Amino acid sequence: MVTASFRFYEQLNDFLPRARRGREFATPCARAATVKHMIEALGVPHTEVELVLVNGESSGFDRLLAEGDRVAVYPKCDTADIAPPLRVRARPLVASPARPRFVADAHLGGLARLLRMAGFDTLYDNRYHDHEIVAIALDEDRVVLTRDRELLKRRTLTHGCYLHALKPAQQFQELFDRLDLAASARPFTICLHCNLPLRSVAKADVLDRLPPSVRELHDEFNTCDCCGRVFWRGSHHKRMTELLAGVTDAARRLPAAVESAANPAPGP
């Protein structure tokens, strides 16, 4: 056994017991323990970490810990004045890619719907098993979204986000802040049901699928070629726009037609 000291910064402290938050603490480590092994043994998923310093020098996850090592763990790479930093993964989460794609676990259906509303390609199925989520993330270069820290500790997973908030709107805000998504949002361009792009459609082509009140009040529509639903500026448009406006100015660039969340027209 060897003994090393650890100090976690910012939101990483939320994963620790209260007595270990915001302070340096010593802990025994197996003689062959790596930085990654100990970080996760202490409760912090490796996907939440962007920078590690060991004895003041940047380190990768695979470094073996030695007696007396002092380990500082950061959620962001700009928190320490070192040059050049050694990132713990080849591509940092905040820059991967310019418009990241997501896969959400079974408990984040509300967040998945909000992300689609904001124009982000987000896969969601409450029947997904953990191994399927990891496989999708790796095969399609997607960021895993979850409140299950054990899922994020999967060895092969490189990009994931743990959502601390419990409610979808708060999770939405949290993710926008963490990944700086405002500039890449494209509100109301993806079907909330199918996660596929919407296209504009002539009113005459969908007239028989519109409620009488919608025929009278609206002239511009979008449709999903997969499910056939028709979308317009409906009764929930204001609420959706206000939510987006709280996290991004992209809501000012809304397309002409968006879904009425309350009364979407059914497919053909």
Side-chain angles (χ1 to χ4, degrees), residues 154-165:
R154 295 287 182 114
R155 181 178 57 83
T156 57
L157 189 62
T158 59
H159 291 82
C161 283
Y162 180 87
L163 280 304
H164 296 268

Side-chain angles (χ1 to χ4, degrees), residues 18-30:
R18 190 170 301 277
R20 288 179 166 177
R21 296 176 185 174
R23 58 182 290 268
E24 185 174 2
F25 58 90
T27 187
C29 314

Side-chain angles (χ1 to χ4, degrees), residues 11-258:
Q11 65 264 33
L12 297 183
N13 283 280
D14 294 342
F15 295 101
L16 302 176
R18 190 170 301 277
R20 288 179 166 177
R21 296 176 185 174
R23 58 182 290 268
E24 185 174 2
F25 58 90
T27 187
C29 314
R31 189 168 296 275
T34 63
V35 166
K36 178 178 179 292
H37 171 82
M38 281 307 301
I39 287 174
E40 295 203 319
L42 292 169
V44 179
H46 71 276
T47 55
E48 303 301 292
V49 176
E50 288 291 336
L51 177 67
V52 176
L53 303 182
V54 178
N55 304 325
E57 298 179 351
S58 60
S59 169
F61 277 139
D62 58 352
R63 175 169 175 161
L64 293 177
L65 292 169
E67 180 67 30
D69 277 347
R70 299 182 67 188
V71 184
V73 189
Y74 298 87
K76 300 176 183 177
C77 284
D78 58 358
T79 50
D81 186 16
I82 57 174
L86 175 64
R87 298 186 185 274
V88 293
R89 58 182 56 84
R91 182 161 48 86
L93 178 60
V94 292
S96 61
R99 297 193 73 243
R101 301 187 300 164
F102 303 100
V103 53
D105 78 4
H107 303 289
L108 297 179
L111 174 61
R113 185 177 175 87
L114 292 178
L115 285 169
R116 290 176 181 178
M117 181 186 73
F120 291 99
D121 180 345
T122 306
L123 294 182
Y124 169 79
D125 189 324
N126 60 13
R127 296 167 296 182
Y128 282 154
H129 295 290
D130 285 359
H131 71 275
E132 293 176 298
I133 291 174
V134 173
I136 290 169
L138 296 176
D139 291 344
E140 302 183 17
D141 193 22
R142 293 179 181 270
V143 178
V144 172
L145 305 177
T146 184
R147 280 187 44 78
D148 178 2
R149 69 177 73 184
E150 296 305 314
L151 172 56
L152 295 179
K153 291 180 181 180
R154 295 287 182 114
R155 181 178 57 83
T156 57
L157 189 62
T158 59
H159 291 82
C161 283
Y162 180 87
L163 280 304
H164 296 268
L166 298 177
K167 296 183 178 180
Q170 296 168 344
Q171 294 167 345
F172 188 65
Q173 176 75 65
E174 179 183 340
L175 194 62
F176 260 66
D177 290 344
R178 176 172 176 180
L179 300 188
D180 193 21
L181 296 178
S184 52
R186 299 292 183 270
F188 308 113
T189 58
I190 288 181
C191 178
L192 302 187
H193 306 274
C194 302
N195 193 46
L196 293 173
L198 298 175
R199 65 174 178 84
S200 61
V201 62
K203 183 175 182 177
D205 294 338
V206 295
L207 196 62
D208 60 337
R209 286 186 273 156
L210 302 178
S213 60
V214 173
R215 295 176 193 170
E216 296 177 5
L217 298 175
H218 300 276
D219 294 308
E220 296 181 340
F221 301 88
N222 282 354
T223 189
C224 171
D225 288 330
C226 180
C227 67
R229 286 179 172 85
V230 180
F231 299 73
W232 63 89
R233 291 182 184 267
S235 59
H236 282 247
H237 174 267
K238 181 179 179 181
R239 181 186 64 81
M240 290 181 175
T241 302
E242 288 175 349
L243 178 60
L244 283 167
V247 294
T248 174
D249 64 357
R252 304 189 189 116
R253 305 191 300 273
L254 295 181
V258 298

